[in-house]
Amino acid sequence: MTNRPSPRAGLLWAGVAVALVLCHAAPGAASKSPGSGHSAAAAPSGGILPGAVPALPPGTDVAGSGDGANLPEVRPAGVIPQVGAVFTTVDGRPAQHFCTAAVVDSPARDLLVTAAHCVVEPGRASAAEAAGSGKSLLFVPGYHEGRHPFGIWAVTGVVTDPRWWRDGDPDFDVAFLTTRPLGAARRVEEAVGAEGLAFEPRWHGPVEAVGYPRTGERPVVCANRLQGFGSGQAQFPCRGMTGGTSGSPLLAAVGPDGRGTVVGAIGGYQSGGFTADLSYSPGFGPDIAALYRSATGG
């Protein structure tokens, strides 16, 4: 992956009006339940080279289809430093990965985005109770075949909308997680970089989803077009998005270095989808933008 000398600001998508786009951050640069269906990088250890979201095969059609016979399928992905697996813990060490999260640009360079249902069960009594729900979890960016090529980060806080933690409203099935490094001094964005983040709830176009199936030990990727679903969500048809891919970022405008802009995360309706062939995401609009500002103190 090619390092960028500094964060890119003012990212524009051709023909797309973006309500808010946060810069892509280069590593080290100054920075401003699973269900049946889902539920410059540091030199890595273990001989794993950082990779990128694989390029689409020539002639791939990402127009999207509701016809199950023509659905795209997930493909193995290389090590993608900004996307990782979320683990339960035993004695403070990673035990079982069960969801996916992505590093997103933030002033403190410590922030992840995932699905709220991965970390907070609805029916919490207070924001403080919800905020502490993920403190036994770990995040391993670029996890691959049992290896932790960039390190391990502990979840220190969870920010979710009260309409999720109180009522379980699927339109607010999004969580931002703060982190701290284990056994290292660098914050996660300094170590692996970050994806951009955009808030445009009605943006429906080509995206690439990257996630960690619970039964696998490496990430998968699938490309298709986001389609509208109801008034506040989107659907993503793709075969093979199984349990563990909840929280997977939906990346638009993926560049040659594999970085993109998060426009959604697998979750929402049916906790992201009851089947492995059709996934969902809440729309990333003003409410999710407000949640981000709450998570970053903005």
Side-chain angles (χ1 to χ4, degrees):
M1 177 173 289
T2 302
N3 290 338
R4 293 175 181 167
S6 63
R8 290 198 317 185
L11 177 66
L12 296 178
W13 300 347
V16 179
V18 179
L20 171 64
V21 178
L22 302 171
C23 72
H24 296 283
S31 175
K32 329 179 236 199
S33 343
S36 60
H38 293 97
S39 213
S45 61
I48 299 178
L49 297 177
V53 176
L56 295 178
T60 297
D61 180 10
V62 294
S65 171
D67 182 353
N70 297 319
L71 287 182
E73 297 188 29
V74 298
R75 296 174 288 117
V79 175
I80 301 167
Q82 298 84 20
V83 181
V86 180
F87 281 79
T88 59
T89 58
V90 172
D91 297 328
R93 302 295 299 170
Q96 173 67 50
H97 65 86
F98 66 98
C99 273
T100 303
V103 184
V104 291
D105 188 46
S106 67
R109 290 171 276 178
D110 65 350
L111 199 65
L112 315 177
V113 66
T114 189
H117 74 260
C118 289
V119 289
V120 178
E121 183 180 357
R124 301 302 91 189
S126 67
E129 181 183 352
S133 297
K135 289 189 175 180
S136 64
L137 303 178
L138 298 175
F139 174 68
V140 182
Y143 177 74
H144 195 90
E145 303 292 349
R147 298 173 180 171
H148 315 143
F150 306 103
I152 301 172
W153 280 260
V155 174
T156 59
V158 177
V159 180
T160 52
D161 192 286
R163 285 164 287 191
W164 173 263
W165 58 255
R166 186 179 55 225
D167 305 320
D169 187 330
D171 286 349
F172 303 95
D173 186 7
V174 178
F176 290 100
L177 314 180
T178 55
T179 61
R180 65 173 175 81
L182 294 183
R186 297 215 292 175
R187 290 168 287 188
V188 66
E189 187 174 333
E190 295 172 334
V192 302
E195 306 287 5
L197 185 61
F199 303 108
E200 176 47 60
R202 297 190 181 279
W203 189 83
H204 302 139
V207 297
E208 297 184 38
V210 181
Y212 282 85
R214 188 175 56 227
T215 56
E217 292 298 302
R218 59 185 300 176
V220 296
V221 62
C222 190
N224 206 345
R225 182 175 294 272
L226 275 184
Q227 304 169 357
F229 179 75
S231 62
Q233 303 219 16
Q235 59 184 7
F236 179 70
C238 174
R239 194 184 308 279
M241 298 293 287
T242 57
T245 60
S246 283
S248 296
L250 298 173
L251 298 169
V254 177
D257 64 358
R259 292 197 185 103
T261 299
V262 179
V263 296
I266 300 298
Y269 181 65
Q270 296 179 343
S271 295
F274 285 165
T275 76
D277 296 343
L278 184 60
S279 303
Y280 299 92
S281 170
F284 273 32
D287 290 311
I288 306 304
L291 196 65
Y292 171 84
R293 290 193 297 271
S294 178
T296 59

